[in-house]
Amino acid sequence: MRWSQYFIPTLREDPADAEVVSHKLLLRAGLVRQLGAGIYSLLPLAQRIQLRIMQILREEMNRIGGQEFYLPAINPREIWDESGRWAVMGDNMFRLKDRKGADLCLGMTHEEVFTSIARNDLRSYKQLPQVWYQIQVKFRDEARPKSGVLRVRQFIMKDAYSFDIDYAGLDKSFEDQREAYKRIFDRCGLKYVIVEASSGAMGGSASNEFMVKTDAGEDMIATCSGCGYAANLEKATSRLQDLDDGIGLNFPAEFPTPGVRTIEDLTKFGSGTPADRQIKTLVYIVTRGGEAKPLLVLLRGDHQLHETKLSDNLAGAEARAATAEEIYSLLGANAGSLGAVGAKQKARASGKEIYIIADSALRGRRNMTTGANTDDYHIRGVEVERDIKVDQWADLRTVTSGEACPNCKSGVLGVFKALEVGHIFKLGTKYSESMGATVLTQDGKEVPIVMGSYGIGVERIMASAIELHHDADGIIWPNSIAPFDVIVTVTNMKDEMLREHGEKLYKDLQRAGLEVLLDDRDERAGVKFKDADLIGIPYRITIGKKIGDRVVELFDRRTRTSEDVKIADVVSLVQKLALAGL
Ligand code: ATP
Ligand code: MG
């Protein structure tokens, strides 16, 4: 490609509305343009990058026996009703009607369509396992599209699905995908952490996310300094230090606490009650099958609730924080004086049934303090399992940096911001059961197919490569996904000798199988160097004054070092460098 005719609308200044680095550089380097909220056009440079990423995805899916499909992005409502997700997906789903008034949606993911094919055409264990995938556009009406192409409403996903006769088969398919994902991210030049994750709306059991540590991410992960433990904060646990509760009281005792409204207030009130000796009481309203019920969530005073952990423990019911009025009418006190001791009886008096879920860190604790459900009063000497009727124990708290690893003896957990680039799930039989995808076993028994689902966002790979690989001058593409392998910069197009050598080198490099951009623009050398740095081509060959000695300069964008190379040697040298590690 010749830069003079190629569309690379670079910008001199950082765009004002872009916050994360990848968003800024995608705009500045002329890779994308925004069309609407969470809707972007990919310009020619970006399209070249995306195609290279997709090629890597194809190669690695094919290597594990994946078969490429291409399914419709527009789906009839019926299959989404069958799986139950027409209702579950809520506002995130783009819905439309056709001319006959029939409901359709734009696919957010393709479990339903793939399962509908499987149920019609897979009949016997002999046909399994199958690994099916596609590279297809997905639509999600995200609540907060942001950060350039990191969270958009239309994006390209490689989604794969495995179909096995049993769970042992699924374990193998899952492992194959896990290995393929590692190779994909390694080849794309991304440093990543594999974490345990909550399975959320997709349903299913085991799930791993591939996370890139970056402040541009919206997830939080905990990783151990000592062993390989890593988990999304929505799933992470830690080992807590044992606390000495002393003997405690024979029964809980109420005491006045005028003006105390928060855990913090109580740590300073009177002789002070440390936060880890307090019980935090949160009130939620849980809706299941249209029926709303109050829920008390109990945590240690110094711990924070993780809402995903809570919803993962509510078997699909929706939970929301109760309003101040709802709290008062339920317990007769305001937030700040709430507690679970006697709460069930109190609510029952007004005809309400409270459910109590408590964090495991409260198990076995004695001598604790909590609100008395009367404003300005608390109760001390609470022995949790003696004085509170807990309906369900669960891991609900948010792990924080510095806590001990749950997996090894000496490791300490660090908590980091991270960006999810890929997600692999063991779905089990959720979709095959709800949609009736069964096969016959060897003994002629009809069983639901055991499924897995595996997704990677193509734009997210492109943008996270920028997050990880850039400097003050611009992007530094990993060789494998760079839009061009090498750029040939002719310092002065008016000089015939330089121009002719540039043209010849351009052709020679192409003949050697390289993707080459020839900067043949009528610009000053300084401008060309700056632009080349900005768009991040891994190698630049500069044709300048030394051409008289048949010497050119080879510049490495990553190390920012240059060396003089004989023009006769430069093609094979660049070929070797550019193709290394692909
Ligand atoms: P997130 O938690 O970031 O919303 P998700 O859990 O909804 O992601 P999946 O449904 O597992 O994502 O989709 C698989 C992959 O698709 C993700 O790992 C990510 O790379 C990509 N992806 C998901 N949502 C978006 C989006 N709105 N914009 C761009 N890429 C996305
Ligand atoms: Mg999402």
Side-chain angles (χ1 to χ4, degrees):
M1 289 294 165
R2 290 161 189 280
W3 197 320
S4 60
Q5 285 147 42
Y6 201 62
F7 185 61
I8 313 178
T10 58
L11 307 174
R12 291 270 161 266
E13 305 292 326
D14 266 348
D17 51 348
E19 275 167 24
V20 301
V21 173
S22 60
H23 188 192
K24 283 184 195 155
L25 286 173
L26 283 167
L27 288 167
R28 275 195 58 200
L31 289 151
V32 306
R33 288 296 180 258
Q34 184 169 6
L35 182 63
I39 311 176
Y40 282 83
S41 305
L42 304 182
L43 309 188
L45 273 184
Q47 177 63 0
R48 289 182 79 96
I49 296 159
Q50 297 267 110
L51 289 172
R52 287 189 99 166
I53 296 170
M54 291 185 227
Q55 182 57 26
I56 293 174
L57 292 169
R58 282 202 172 90
E59 286 171 16
E60 295 303 336
M61 283 297 111
N62 294 345
R63 192 205 291 267
I64 58 168
Q67 305 165 66
E68 186 165 359
F69 284 56
Y70 188 76
L71 304 186
I74 189 164
N75 296 179
R77 170 179 179 157
E78 287 69 25
I79 52 168
W80 289 82
D81 270 336
E82 286 184 53
S83 71
R85 291 206 294 183
W86 181 266
V88 172
M89 291 308 198
D91 288 342
N92 272 13
M93 182 183 259
F94 279 106
R95 299 160 203 258
L96 58 156
K97 281 194 191 298
D98 69 12
R99 62 171 71 205
K100 299 200 178 99
D103 284 318
L104 300 162
C105 69
L106 301 180
M108 309 174 64
T109 167
H110 279 82
E111 279 80 2
E112 282 78 0
V113 185
F114 270 113
T115 309
S116 77
I117 295 170
R119 76 170 160 201
N120 290 333
D121 290 292
L122 294 177
R123 298 256 164 265
S124 154
Y125 73 96
K126 286 186 195 146
Q127 293 166 287
L128 302 183
Q130 292 283 323
V131 181
W132 295 351
Y133 77 97
Q134 66 169 342
I135 298 175
Q136 186 23 317
V137 61
K138 303 283 187 247
F139 297 89
R140 296 181 182 186
D141 196 359
E142 298 276 357
R144 277 172 294 281
K146 60 192 262 195
S147 310
V149 302
L150 287 177
R151 184 168 299 283
V152 279
R153 298 196 293 166
Q154 166 176 342
F155 60 96
I156 299 174
M157 197 199 286
K158 185 289 300 167
D159 46 329
Y161 304 82
S162 62
F163 301 85
D164 280 280
I165 188 71
D166 54 21
Y167 279 85
L170 171 60
D171 289 347
K172 159 91 172 53
S173 297
F174 186 83
E175 198 48 40
D176 285 350
Q177 291 283 344
R178 206 167 184 272
E179 290 304 312
Y181 273 45
K182 287 191 200 166
R183 282 193 296 271
I184 289 165
F185 294 120
D186 286 341
R187 288 183 63 185
C188 291
L190 299 188
K191 212 168 161 247
Y192 58 90
V193 194
I194 305 178
V195 304
E196 289 173 33
S198 147
S199 298
M202 299 292 178
S205 47
S207 123
N208 282 166
E209 287 165 341
F210 288 73
M211 292 287 193
V212 169
K213 278 188 194 172
T214 158
D215 284 340
E218 291 182 60
D219 277 276
M220 300 293 285
I221 60 169
T223 59
C224 173
S225 59
C227 69
Y229 178 78
N232 193 308
L233 222 52
E234 60 195 29
K235 192 90 189 203
T237 60
S238 67
R239 204 154 29 83
L240 293 175
Q241 276 175 345
D242 286 337
L243 295 173
D244 182 6
D245 285 340
I247 301 167
L249 307 180
N250 286 338
F251 44 84
E254 201 172 286
F255 65 108
T257 49
V260 169
R261 289 289 169 273
T262 63
I263 300 276
E264 161 105 41
D265 290 348
L266 197 57
T267 64
K268 294 180 191 140
F269 179 82
S271 53
T273 308
D276 59 14
R277 308 211 61 80
Q278 299 186 39
I279 302 172
K280 181 186 282 184
T281 309
L282 306 170
V283 187
Y284 277 78
I285 305 296
V286 175
T287 312
R288 184 178 280 119
E291 199 187 346
K293 282 195 172 154
L295 166 77
L296 296 193
V297 180
L298 310 185
L299 293 137
R300 207 168 87 178
D302 57 333
H303 289 160
Q304 302 297 327
L305 171 69
H306 199 298
E307 291 209 342
T308 308
K309 286 186 174 181
L310 176 62
S311 76
D312 284 351
N313 276 287
L314 295 177
E318 297 231 353
R320 63 162 176 86
T323 63
E325 295 75 45
E326 284 167 336
I327 292 174
Y328 197 87
S329 91
L330 183 70
L331 295 170
N334 289 298
S337 302
L338 306 178
V341 179
K344 286 198 183 225
Q345 294 88 311
K346 192 158 188 180
R348 227 170 260 149
S350 56
K352 295 198 184 83
E353 206 50 53
I354 290 183
Y355 188 79
I356 300 179
I357 182 166
D359 179 63
S360 339
L362 289 174
R363 258 221 147 115
R365 296 295 308 277
R366 283 194 307 272
N367 218 2
M368 303 289 282
T369 299
T370 189
N373 293 330
T374 306
D375 282 348
D376 296 324
Y377 283 87
H378 279 74
I379 301 176
R380 65 175 150 232
V382 176
E383 188 170 326
V384 178
E385 286 170 80
R386 178 193 67 190
D387 302 326
I388 298 174
K389 188 166 173 334
V390 173
D391 295 293
Q392 184 181 346
W393 291 95
D395 170 42
L396 300 172
R397 80 189 158 87
T398 309
V399 160
T400 58
S401 264
E403 289 176 0
C405 175
N407 192 47
C408 69
K409 286 209 170 72
S410 55
V412 174
L413 296 181
V415 173
F416 304 91
K417 264 187 134 180
L419 173 69
E420 180 197 315
V421 284
H423 201 169
I424 55 176
F425 290 95
K426 288 185 184 174
L427 294 173
T429 55
K430 178 178 154 79
Y431 296 90
S432 50
E433 271 181 37
S434 59
M435 297 182 65
T438 58
V439 287
L440 294 178
T441 63
Q442 199 159 6
D443 330 320
K445 230 175 80 195
E446 193 173 339
V447 294
I449 303 175
V450 183
M451 291 173 54
S453 143
Y454 316 92
I456 283 188
V458 179
E459 286 88 342
R460 276 208 194 162
I461 294 184
M462 173 170 72
S464 46
I466 300 178
E467 295 292 339
L468 293 180
H469 308 290
H470 67 270
D471 61 16
D473 297 321
I475 304 168
I476 308 168
W477 290 112
N479 289 5
S480 55
I481 62 172
F484 291 95
D485 298 312
V486 55
I487 175 168
V488 175
T489 303
V490 178
T491 52
N492 180 2
M493 281 305 284
K494 295 203 176 77
D495 183 319
E496 197 180 319
M497 172 136 98
L498 298 186
R499 209 172 56 224
E500 277 174 8
H501 276 286
E503 292 287 349
K504 178 162 187 307
L505 189 56
Y506 175 51
K507 294 208 177 77
D508 289 347
L509 288 162
Q510 283 181 324
R511 227 172 276 131
L514 294 163
E515 294 289 333
V516 194
L517 181 61
L518 174 66
D519 193 349
D520 60 345
R521 292 174 301 163
D522 209 1
E523 289 280 359
R524 283 184 297 113
V527 171
K528 293 185 171 189
F529 295 161
K530 261 194 150 34
D531 278 345
D533 282 354
L534 177 61
I535 67 170
I537 310 301
Y539 303 99
R540 184 183 80 218
I541 302 172
T542 308
I543 303 189
K545 290 200 191 78
K546 291 178 190 157
I547 201 68
D549 304 326
R550 298 296 178 262
V551 165
V552 292
E553 187 190 83
L554 177 60
F555 174 77
D556 182 321
R557 176 69 183 87
R558 177 169 303 275
T559 58
R560 303 206 59 90
T561 51
S562 317
E563 56 176 318
D564 285 346
V565 181
K566 286 209 196 82
I567 199 161
D569 300 335
V570 80
V571 175
S572 60
L573 179 57
V574 170
Q575 195 180 29
K576 219 166 70 206
L577 290 170
L579 302 179
L582 293 195

